[in-house]
Amino acid sequence: MTQKPTRTEEFQELRPLLFSIAYRLLGSVSEAEDAVQDTWLRWESTATRPASTKAFLSAVVTRISIDVLRSARVRREAYVGPWFPEPLLTDPYQDPERSAELADSVSMAALLLLERLSPLERAVFVLREVFAFGFPEIASAVNRSEAACRQLAVRARRHMDAGRPRFEADRAERQELADRFFHAFREGDVDALRALLAADVHMVGDGGGKAPQLARAVTGADNVARVLAAIIPPFVRIGGVMEPHQVNGQPGAVLRDRDGKIISTLVLEMLDGQIQTIRSVVNPDKLGHVGPVADAWAVHRETQQARRNPE
């Protein structure tokens, strides 16, 4: 006779799914981990086992995330500069049949688009469109009727479709373009960079007022190519490393100082075979989950000195 899994085993099996739901709702690794931990505490104190552990735990983590999201919106209104989600290097939830959809749903662009939705619309959209939950489960999770959830889903899908960026369908082609970009970036090759950038390319960073960043977004292939070409050569001379890495399911990189500490992450968004948007996260509060964080101001000062004294 097969022994039933323990509560702990059931929870651990579903933890990747719970984190992935919470992250897509909150755009924060730390807040998603806290929501999963709170879900565990509620699961541990539940007297009876539900008919479906997956449905029960997904509903709990969704409700917790909705509450956090409502309070987070107030904080984000006072945020210094552009707000981006915390970078996610690896999504713990894997579903081979939906891998492409899962990767695109966790992209920076998609998460920023989700920010436009109300917390309820966001929850319904994520549960339905990303994780393919049925409307009875969704209705239970958000404490609304199935009819109301269907309306929320239609409204959310309309908003998302209206603003959704068109990603390259061929992921191999996307990666090949990223490889060429990072090679030109390392070499400081302005012409090669310019050839890979869309005419109206947009480069913007999230420092939260706590790290050096561009005073404003840089727009246009010529401007972005010149800025990029000026960054890496002096950075490399002081021992900095640019490590290509998938970031939020898209081609990107992690920048480290000579001691291997994290300075920033960078992600590329592509359209029609060109790089359309470059987003960097420099705010140290958003990088601690990636690894030990560098003193970005000290690295910036040293890089600037290396630029002034190239020899």
Side-chain angles (χ1 to χ4, degrees), residues 186-242:
R186 285 194 191 90
E187 297 298 316
D189 188 333
V190 175
D191 292 335
L193 284 167
R194 188 187 297 114
L196 300 172
L197 301 173
D200 58 349
V201 63
H202 190 67
M203 183 168 72
V204 62
D206 173 352
K210 299 183 177 183
Q213 66 183 87
L214 297 169
R216 57 184 180 276
V218 180
T219 306
D222 287 341
N223 294 332
V224 171
R226 283 198 297 269
V227 171
L228 288 172
I231 291 173
I232 283 295
F235 176 69
V236 170
R237 284 202 299 276
I238 67 167
V241 175
M242 183 175 64

Side-chain angles (χ1 to χ4, degrees), residues 70-111:
R70 284 171 173 153
S71 63
R73 290 200 160 198
V74 176
R75 297 196 303 275
R76 288 173 195 173
E77 288 173 1
Y79 194 80
V80 177
W83 180 92
F84 293 161
E86 290 183 8
L88 185 70
L89 300 192
T90 304
D91 188 350
Y93 180 69
Q94 302 296 325
D95 182 348
E97 293 183 1
R98 296 177 58 81
S99 59
E101 294 93 333
L102 287 168
D104 282 349
S105 73
V106 84
S107 71
M108 287 274 181
L111 292 174

Side-chain angles (χ1 to χ4, degrees), residues 18-210:
L18 302 178
F19 172 86
S20 294
I21 292 172
Y23 177 77
R24 284 166 174 80
L25 291 178
L26 297 170
S28 165
V29 172
S30 53
E31 288 177 347
E33 289 173 343
D34 288 344
V36 172
Q37 182 60 27
D38 288 347
T39 301
W40 161 251
L41 295 175
R42 296 191 191 184
W43 172 237
E44 195 178 31
S45 62
T46 302
T48 58
R49 288 199 179 190
S52 168
T53 302
K54 176 184 175 182
F56 176 84
L57 293 176
S58 298
V60 172
V61 82
T62 297
R63 290 176 200 146
I64 291 170
S65 297
I66 287 173
D67 288 342
V68 174
L69 186 59
R70 284 171 173 153
S71 63
R73 290 200 160 198
V74 176
R75 297 196 303 275
R76 288 173 195 173
E77 288 173 1
Y79 194 80
V80 177
W83 180 92
F84 293 161
E86 290 183 8
L88 185 70
L89 300 192
T90 304
D91 188 350
Y93 180 69
Q94 302 296 325
D95 182 348
E97 293 183 1
R98 296 177 58 81
S99 59
E101 294 93 333
L102 287 168
D104 282 349
S105 73
V106 84
S107 71
M108 287 274 181
L111 292 174
L112 288 169
L113 202 52
L114 281 170
E115 285 288 307
R116 303 180 187 179
L117 306 182
S118 72
L120 278 179
E121 287 172 340
R122 187 166 182 164
V124 170
F125 183 87
V126 166
L127 292 176
R128 180 64 179 172
E129 300 294 329
V130 180
F131 296 102
F133 278 65
F135 280 109
E137 295 170 300
I138 296 171
S140 174
V142 301
N143 289 320
R144 295 293 189 275
S145 68
E146 286 187 44
C149 288
R150 290 179 187 277
Q151 289 180 333
L152 286 165
V154 169
R155 195 156 61 234
R157 195 179 303 116
R158 188 183 303 127
H159 284 306
M160 293 295 286
D161 288 344
R164 188 188 299 276
R166 294 177 291 119
F167 289 108
E168 292 283 359
D170 189 334
R171 302 186 73 83
E173 183 182 341
R174 197 186 307 178
Q175 188 58 55
E176 190 269 339
L177 177 59
D179 291 343
R180 288 162 55 203
F181 169 84
F182 286 121
H183 177 75
F185 193 9
R186 285 194 191 90
E187 297 298 316
D189 188 333
V190 175
D191 292 335
L193 284 167
R194 188 187 297 114
L196 300 172
L197 301 173
D200 58 349
V201 63
H202 190 67
M203 183 168 72
V204 62
D206 173 352
K210 299 183 177 183

